[in-house]
Amino acid sequence: MQIITSPQNFSEEELYIDLRSIFGHTLFLKCEGFNFAGSIKLKAAKEMVEAAERDGILRPDSILVESSSGNLGVALSMIAASKGYRFLCVTDRRCNFSTRLLMEALGSQIHIITEPDADGGGFLGARLSYVQALCASDKRYVWLNQYTNPNNWLAHYHTTAPAIARQFPQLDVLFIGAGTTGTLMGCARYFREWHRSVWIIAVDSVGSVTFGDPPGPRMIPGLGMGVRPPLLDESYVDEVIRVKEVDTVRACHRMARSGFLLGGSTGTVVSGAMDWLTRHEAPDLTAVAISPDLGERYLDTVYCTSWLQEVYGDGVFEPDELTAREPAVSLIGSIPSINRSTAR
């Protein structure tokens, strides 16, 4: 029995889905959505808040403020409610409606940016400008700044990566979605120091500028950036895969048809991983991907037929996406030894 007094003290670390029966390739998907914030962002939020408290930056009269497309905003809303802080989330019109309702239910204030930055920084640039102006206007505002805060990646160096290493001692390749790159950098740094080589693959959205590509429209929140993330150190990344949003949607719906309702970021990571595994056929390869959240917050976007048709047109689903699948998908908490085959 586990008994807690603070919601941030619970997070499931040992749940994986074997996706072979859905996509035809063995990929162990680490599910990070089973905590009271509903996403992997709880780890970064907890680490950043506790560090700010230790450093004396957060005081009883402080007002937390953060730019977020959704999940970090929910995590900070939950922690702020638990600890008695006020919190203002600066987001934009792409933030899912259900996510905004969650933050409001937890007592947070929300400011929605409706127009992108005039100098080419997109919605993120406009959000950051608003936060900076707010902090300059009142010293009570404390910006944890997930985009530059080292505790963002340290959270995953201390928790996510070691949890994967314990379950997969023969890990060959790890697929990680790239947003702020906190999860990516924390895991990549940990496995760079590990006792065996692991191929680190970043999965990004087409239209994101993270890895030097030109900016483009992105409608699904979570992965991708409108400005280059300051936390990113590409020397830790072995390969980058870019995924179109229509492929994100298709991956999400294929998993949902087998009973796994997962978030848009997960669809992006899984789509990129399956493309890579198809091109690098190796039956003994041990591959893991990280699923940041569940799918309930995407019911009015990724899982809404009218929204999909409005944004992507009638061709968002194609006949060739339907493939034969095995009868069941197994949930596992630990993995037996698997022979290693190089991914290089």
Side-chain angles (χ1 to χ4, degrees):
M1 177 186 297
Q2 184 175 3
I3 299 175
I4 61 173
T5 57
S6 299
Q8 60 268 27
N9 291 336
F10 170 77
S11 183
E12 172 59 58
E13 284 283 12
E14 298 184 356
L15 181 65
Y16 293 81
I17 306 171
D18 182 354
L19 294 177
R20 182 174 182 81
S21 61
I22 303 176
F23 292 95
H25 294 284
T26 296
L27 177 68
F28 300 110
L29 187 65
K30 187 179 193 305
C31 298
E32 291 281 354
F34 291 95
N35 57 57
F36 285 97
S39 82
I40 196 171
K41 288 292 189 178
L42 175 60
K43 295 176 176 178
K46 184 175 184 287
E47 191 93 8
M48 291 190 295
V49 167
E50 291 179 352
E53 289 176 329
R54 289 194 302 270
D55 296 340
I57 298 171
L58 268 176
R59 296 180 294 274
D61 65 337
S62 296
I63 305 172
L64 280 168
V65 61
E66 186 57 78
S67 160
S68 171
S69 62
N71 281 337
L72 184 71
V74 172
L76 285 173
S77 294
M78 188 194 77
I79 292 174
S82 174
K83 290 177 172 286
Y85 296 116
R86 293 169 60 191
F87 173 57
L88 170 64
C89 181
V90 180
T91 188
D92 60 63
R93 64 188 186 191
R94 297 171 302 176
C95 179
N96 295 326
F97 181 64
S98 58
T99 300
R100 301 204 303 264
L101 291 179
L102 274 171
M103 289 189 280
E104 290 175 346
L106 289 163
S108 298
Q109 292 179 288
I110 303 170
H111 179 84
I112 301 173
I113 298 294
T114 58
E115 296 296 331
D117 181 63
D119 296 325
F123 282 104
L124 177 57
R127 281 163 30 194
L128 297 180
S129 295
Y130 184 87
V131 171
Q132 290 165 348
L134 199 65
C135 291
S137 70
D138 191 329
K139 293 181 179 179
R140 292 177 300 167
Y141 285 104
V142 174
W143 181 23
L144 298 175
N145 196 350
Q146 63 167 324
Y147 308 102
T148 62
N149 194 323
N151 294 291
N152 185 346
W153 67 262
L154 279 168
H156 303 286
Y157 181 91
H158 292 147
T159 61
T160 311
I164 294 171
R166 285 193 299 271
Q167 300 297 333
F168 297 89
Q170 300 301 314
L171 180 64
D172 292 308
V173 56
L174 180 61
F175 298 93
I176 311 168
T180 65
T181 67
T183 307
L184 175 63
M185 288 293 96
C187 291
R189 283 185 166 94
Y190 180 90
F191 283 110
R192 178 68 63 88
E193 299 169 4
W194 206 32
H195 65 87
R196 70 194 305 279
S197 177
V198 174
W199 198 251
I200 301 295
I201 300 182
V203 184
D204 198 14
S205 300
V206 170
S208 166
V209 306
T210 297
F211 294 97
D213 297 297
R218 292 178 293 112
M219 298 303 297
I220 301 174
L223 299 185
M225 294 276 283
V227 298
R228 182 179 171 85
L231 293 178
L232 177 62
D233 183 342
E234 290 190 58
S235 69
Y236 287 95
V237 179
D238 295 303
E239 193 172 342
V240 180
I241 297 174
R242 297 157 180 87
V243 175
K244 296 179 181 178
E245 285 194 339
V246 290
D247 293 323
T248 292
V249 171
R250 290 167 184 162
C252 284
H253 281 255
R254 285 182 68 173
M255 290 184 285
R257 289 199 303 272
S258 288
F260 294 104
L261 194 73
L262 298 166
S265 298
T266 300
T268 302
V269 173
V270 168
S271 177
M274 289 303 166
D275 174 70
W276 190 93
L277 291 169
T278 299
R279 291 184 285 107
H280 298 78
E281 184 63 44
D284 295 328
L285 193 73
T286 301
V288 171
I290 298 175
S291 167
D293 61 2
L294 303 179
E296 290 91 339
R297 295 173 192 175
Y298 301 82
L299 293 177
D300 55 352
T301 54
V302 171
Y303 296 104
C304 177
T305 301
S306 59
W307 185 87
L308 292 173
Q309 290 177 331
E310 179 182 349
V311 174
Y312 304 110
D314 292 333
V316 64
F317 298 115
E318 296 177 349
D320 61 4
E321 77 167 296
L322 302 174
T323 59
R325 53 182 96 142
E326 297 172 19
V329 177
S330 60
L331 288 174
I332 56 177
S334 60
I335 305 300
S337 297
I338 299 175
N339 292 332
R340 182 175 186 270
S341 174
T342 180
R344 312 302 194 271

